[in-house]
Amino acid sequence: MLTTETLEEFYLRHPVENQKVFAENNAGQGHFNVFLRRACDNISPFSRRDFYKIALVIGNGKIHYADKWVTIDRPALVFSSPSVPSAWEPGPGAQEGWLCLFTQAFIESYEHKSALQNFPLFQVGGSHIVFLNEVQLASLSATLCKMMQEMDSDYVYKYDLLRNYLRILMHEALKIAPVTTYETNASAAARITTLFLELLERQFPIDSPGQFLKLKTAINYAESLAVHTNHLNRSVREVTGKTTTQHISERVLKEAYALLKHTDWSIAQIANGLGFEEPAYFANFFKKYTGSSPMMSRLASVQK
């Protein structure tokens, strides 16, 4: 079963020297912490988290996502959000760097509600890893060192200062690796497409065999957004170059890979959770897009 790791569970799995600061509301409005990556030589579980994390990774390893993994073989900033399940597999050698944890309430206390979800490096379907050269590594390491020093200070406004350091860290990363987002203007098509993609992502992940997709087709999404299906289809194609059905199919396929690889559910349970009335329909869908059966895909993922 895909689980959601809480802050408390993270700290139990990953003890840190400033453990005494742990509290879901340690900053007065939300949670914030920054510390060294000294316990990252263990495999982390594939799951969602109910908090945000920025890791400056110095060391080798792999970041696993639902349908792919990314090899970390040089210093990198890794952005993790509650919307994107992932796991960490350490490679050989020492693990160094920093971890920065925070909740939505902490960073958005003085901003509009969707600030984090709209930040490109946290967005679903985008890039979450920024590789660094020596100059960039030195600059961002200095910022994280200042953040650690501030955590130990008695300055009455330290969390305001840490909030600003966090924004600097996020935007320095974005300057290094600019990301193109779907919503590049305020057109009606862009707004509708953004709403559709957000609604699509909220259907996932499927966390238990009893959970199933509520919205399955372009018509379902159009009804939920109170627009005509043709208008939704035109808008999505105009902005993304793909049809609404393509987006839905790709996201269902991505979830199928995750469930086949990271759960022990039967093919029938996975098919039901993803909205297929019969396992055979799911098998045909999966083979159409991958050329392989669900069972063969599961066996292949186990052998890797």
Side-chain angles (χ1 to χ4, degrees):
M1 178 182 298
L2 294 179
T3 59
T4 299
E5 185 177 51
T6 65
L7 274 167
E8 184 175 9
E9 289 168 339
F10 177 88
Y11 282 116
L12 288 173
R13 182 174 60 82
H14 199 304
V16 296
E17 290 181 359
N18 63 353
Q19 190 88 1
K20 62 184 180 181
V21 308
F22 171 71
E24 290 192 3
N25 192 32
N26 73 320
Q29 185 161 357
H31 178 83
F32 178 85
N33 201 1
V34 58
F35 45 90
L36 297 174
R37 292 182 67 248
R38 288 179 174 167
C40 289
D41 52 357
N42 296 320
I43 296 176
S44 70
F46 183 81
S47 66
R48 290 188 295 172
R49 279 84 189 172
D50 69 353
F51 52 89
Y52 289 81
K53 179 174 66 175
I54 300 176
L56 198 166
V57 178
I58 304 174
N60 296 319
K62 289 182 179 179
I63 302 289
H64 291 267
Y65 296 105
D67 58 345
K68 64 181 180 181
W69 69 81
V70 179
T71 298
I72 305 295
D73 56 4
R74 57 193 187 277
L77 274 180
V78 178
F79 289 74
S80 303
S81 75
S83 300
V84 182
S86 64
W88 166 249
E89 179 186 347
Q95 296 292 331
E96 299 177 351
W98 292 264
L99 290 179
C100 181
L101 309 184
F102 56 97
T103 60
Q104 181 171 324
F106 176 77
I107 192 66
E108 293 185 355
S109 56
Y110 300 109
E111 298 183 28
H112 58 84
K113 186 69 174 175
S114 60
L116 277 178
Q117 292 97 323
N118 290 337
F119 187 75
L121 291 167
F122 283 126
Q123 280 187 326
V124 171
S127 173
H128 309 292
I129 299 173
V130 179
F131 290 103
L132 308 173
N133 62 32
E134 291 185 5
V135 174
Q136 294 160 348
L137 174 62
S139 175
L140 295 176
S141 295
T143 299
L144 283 155
C145 283
K146 290 178 181 178
M147 294 167 79
M148 283 194 65
Q149 292 169 3
E150 201 57 48
M151 278 297 292
D152 292 331
S153 79
D154 296 324
Y155 179 48
V156 65
Y157 300 116
K158 72 177 183 180
Y159 287 112
D160 289 335
L161 182 55
L162 284 164
R163 192 175 287 110
N164 288 327
Y165 278 137
L166 180 56
R167 292 192 186 97
I168 289 171
L169 189 68
M170 291 166 60
H171 286 284
E172 287 295 335
L174 197 56
K175 284 167 60 179
I176 295 168
V179 178
T180 300
T181 63
Y182 286 131
E183 193 167 10
T184 56
N185 57 64
S187 72
R191 289 195 301 273
I192 291 172
T193 301
T194 298
L195 290 171
F196 161 69
L197 292 172
E198 290 176 352
L199 184 58
L200 173 62
E201 192 57 38
R202 284 204 296 271
Q203 310 306 306
F204 302 93
I206 306 298
D207 289 327
S208 66
Q211 183 184 350
F212 58 90
L213 294 183
K214 296 181 175 64
L215 304 177
K216 304 176 186 178
T217 67
I219 294 175
N220 296 152
Y221 282 91
E223 290 175 347
S224 295
L225 295 171
V227 299
H228 194 279
T229 306
N230 292 341
H231 183 38
L232 175 62
N233 287 333
R234 283 196 302 269
S235 298
V236 172
R237 182 185 283 276
E238 175 186 332
V239 174
T240 70
K242 297 180 181 179
T243 67
T244 309
T245 300
Q246 280 179 298
H247 281 286
I248 296 170
S249 297
E250 288 174 1
R251 187 59 184 87
V252 169
L253 187 64
K254 179 179 179 180
E255 190 70 9
Y257 272 119
L259 294 173
L260 289 167
K261 181 176 181 181
H262 299 290
T263 75
D264 58 0
W265 304 356
S266 69
I267 302 299
Q269 287 174 317
I270 294 174
N272 182 64
L274 294 176
F276 294 90
E277 295 180 0
E278 298 290 341
Y281 298 160
F282 170 58
N284 291 337
F285 165 84
F286 194 88
K287 189 168 185 178
K288 173 183 176 182
Y289 285 96
T290 70
S292 176
S293 70
M295 184 57 69
M296 291 300 296
S297 180
R298 168 171 275 174
L299 293 173
S301 67
V302 171
Q303 293 169 0
K304 288 182 180 178

